[in-house]
């Protein structure tokens, strides 16, 4: 038998231990719930005051599947914490999110998102929230917390809850949830389920591997921005320094008790989606009756959509797959941009002769669809489909997208649909914020959508919600049937008729070697900007090439019947190069143009581009 590498062996052990632990954990919780109605924090880090102080409540209908933990007196002395690692908190920032390594088992990726780090981040968010929002005195601030299916989710949920409750804020834990639902909890008004939340946290790392995790933060104004995350991490770093000092830690915690509750908010959120489809179909109870729709949740948090949204609307969901949460993602990466993932949902649609297929990413803020013939609605096609639906409702509106969308999409939106295409920077938050800005200056925009599958609508509070995007598509199916139109998903396919798609579309990543002498110790961003400026200058002198007259990111150039975009990654020392062309030969010509322009920058690894132009 061949030797197994250390990396593979570690991953096998992680997998086995996780599944054994989950089986044990489920039995443990059933036993604990029936005997004590109490589930302590992992590791016993919160000191309970005893069962006599627990205030058990009568649960609402939304809480029947969860146990109320009761008030936690978080100014009690914490357990001893020894030899905390030095953590650079600012390196945990990933744009407007926080991300890190939460599980050991992958070679070369040391854990930096530990429970003490998560507790510190919770304390940092609590301090930020208390400063940014003014309490009215009628109640304590409260923060809702949810997570996707990752194996590190529950320990991070308990740790960050401790940091928040220790600051004197109440915590409402939703357990397995979606990112859109977490934001939505800051808007819902229902005291029976402790809403609205003043702030909300989703524990997720999107489609990244099993060992990663992270946090997204919301208030009722939307997702937090980069400056907010930097601020929170700065506060967290200060809190973290004191974790070895029991007196300082005790003094940093809020006086009095804070409560930690459990609520099944996903049932509330799913019910709202059901109501939206029924309303679009003239308040018909089962507007999707007879439609066969399969869901692929990729073992993430989106499995609820089949049973809690589609089936109440009358849809048949047999053939749906990977609905069971599994943080090791054993079937495929839960990512609508991934070819293996899209192949899986396409095969499910065709094998089950379904009318429609729906696929979500891990935390359900991204999605894609497949029609009955296996035609994918993702990337440019998804944007075209959503633009068609939105422009029917809001003629002439501006559609905001990221920078890598195709020229064919621009023609489709502006010439076929009569809208305006505003191509902006990569990053879902950038796209959403730009749509909000346009509205603020008088330019109407109702849709902000990225090729990754992030999509937000003005009618839905600019929340990037993969489930709500699919609801808009379901609305179209339901309303078409109500109007006497049949044909299943053909009504959707017809909406993107006329979209010009390139024969060749590639993305190549040109990495910057930060240790190369050519950088002279400077930051990679300065080097990358210098590359872009040089390419821009050379393009200006070539009559066969045309620089885009309006462009917000990198260098976008048309030529040889196609175009290329060279830009600097938002976070990494990489220059992604997108090329679209009507033929492979034309794509190679564009690639050679870029290669000739960047040859003077030896710290730039052009091997991916070299390989492409030599094919």
């Amino acid at each position: 038998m061949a030797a197994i590498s250390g990396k593979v062996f570690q991953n096998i052990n992680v997998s086995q231990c996780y599944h054994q632990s989950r089986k044990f954990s489920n039995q443990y919780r059933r036993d604990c719930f029936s005997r004590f109605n109490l589930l302590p924090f992992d590791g016993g880090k919160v000191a309970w005051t005893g069962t006599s102080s627990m205030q058990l409540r009568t649960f609402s209908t939304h809480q029947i599947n969860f146990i109320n933990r009761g008030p936690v007196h978080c100014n009690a002395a914490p357990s001893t914490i020894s030899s905390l690692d030095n953590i650079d908190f600012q390196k945990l920032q990933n744009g407007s999110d926080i991300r890190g390594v939460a599980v050991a088992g992958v070679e070369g990726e040391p854990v930096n998102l530990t429970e003490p780090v998560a507790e510190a981040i919770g304390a940092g968010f609590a301090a930020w929230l208390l400063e940014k929002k003014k309490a009215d005195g009628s109640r304590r601030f409260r923060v809702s917390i949810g997570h996707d299916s990752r194996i590190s989710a529950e320990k991070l949920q308990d740790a960050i809850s401790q940091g928040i409750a220790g600051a004197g804020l109440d915590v409402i834990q939703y357990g397995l949830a979606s990112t859109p639902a977490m934001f939505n909890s800051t808007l819902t008004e229902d005291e029976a389920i402790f809403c609205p939340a003043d702030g909300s946290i989703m524990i997720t790392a999107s489609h990244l591997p099993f060992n990663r995790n992270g946090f997204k933060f919301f208030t009722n104004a939307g997702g937090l921005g980069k400056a907010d995350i930097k601020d929170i991490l700065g506060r967290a770093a200060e809190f973290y320094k004191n974790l070895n000092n029991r007196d300082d830690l005790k003094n940093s915690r809020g006086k009095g008790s804070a409560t930690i509750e459990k609520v099944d908010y996903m049932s509330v959120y799913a019910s709202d989606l059901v109501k939206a489809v029924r309303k679009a179909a003239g308040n018909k109870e089962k507007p999707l009756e007879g439609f066969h729709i399969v869901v692929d949740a990729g073992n993430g948090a989106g499995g609820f959509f089949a049973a809690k949204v589609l089936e109440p609307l009358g849809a048949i969901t047999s053939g749906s797959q990977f609905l069971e949460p599994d943080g090791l993602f054993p079937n495929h990466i839960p990512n609508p941009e991934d070819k293996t993932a899209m192949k899986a949902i396409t095969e499910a649609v065709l094998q089950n002769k379904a009318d429609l297929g729906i696929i979500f990413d891990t935390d359900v803020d991204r999605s894609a669809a497949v029609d009955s013939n296996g035609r994918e609605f993702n990337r440019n096609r998804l944007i075209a489909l959503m633009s068609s639906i939105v422009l029917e409702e809001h003629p002439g509106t501006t559609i905001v997208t990221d920078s890598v969308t195709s020229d064919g999409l621009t023609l489709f939106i502006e010439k076929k649909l009569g809208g305006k295409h505003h191509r902006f920077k990569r990053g879902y938050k950038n796209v959403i914020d730009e749509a909000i800005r346009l509205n603020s200056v008088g330019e109407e925009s109702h849709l902000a959508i990225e090729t990754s599958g992030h999509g937000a609508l003005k009618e839905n509070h600019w929340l990037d919600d993969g489930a709500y995007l699919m609801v808009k598509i379901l609305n179209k199916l339901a309303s078409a049937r109500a109007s006497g139109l049949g044909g299943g998903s053909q009504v959707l396919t017809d909406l993107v008729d006329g979209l010009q798609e390139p024969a060749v579309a590639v993305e190549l990543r040109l990495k910057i070697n930060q240790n190369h002498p050519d950088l002279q110790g400077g930051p990679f961003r300065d080097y990358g900007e210098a590359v872009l400026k040089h390419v821009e200058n050379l393009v200006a002198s070539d009559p066969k090439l045309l620089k885009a007259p309006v462009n917000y990111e990198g260098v976008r150039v048309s030529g040889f019947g196609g175009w290329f975009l060279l830009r600097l990654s938002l976070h990494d020392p990489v220059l992604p190069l997108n090329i679209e062309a009507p033929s492979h030969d034309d794509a190679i010509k564009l690639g050679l143009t870029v290669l000739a322009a960047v040859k003077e920058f030896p710290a730039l690894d052009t091997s991916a581009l070299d390989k492409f132009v030599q094919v």
Side-chain angles (χ1 to χ4, degrees), residues 75 92 234 246 303 408 425 458 508 578:
N75 57 340
L92 293 171
R246 180 171 301 202
K425 299 175 184 178
K458 184 178 181 180
L508 308 170
N578 292 84

Side-chain angles (χ1 to χ4, degrees), residues 49 148 363 406:
T49 60
D148 65 19
D363 58 324
S406 70

Side-chain angles (χ1 to χ4, degrees), residues 409-421:
L409 180 67
T410 301
L411 290 172
F412 182 77
I413 291 173
E414 298 190 349
K415 303 301 182 184
K416 171 99 185 267
L417 303 179
K420 180 179 177 182
H421 183 195

Side-chain angles (χ1 to χ4, degrees), residues 17-28 30:
C17 290
Y18 164 63
H19 285 292
Q20 291 172 2
S21 174
R22 186 170 68 167
K23 181 178 180 182
F24 171 79
S25 176
N26 289 340
Q27 181 62 47
Y28 169 78
R30 283 195 295 270

Side-chain angles (χ1 to χ4, degrees), residues 31-45:
D31 292 345
C32 285
F33 287 169
S34 61
R35 295 175 187 174
F36 306 113
N37 286 339
L38 170 63
L39 175 64
F41 279 114
D42 291 344
K45 288 187 178 179

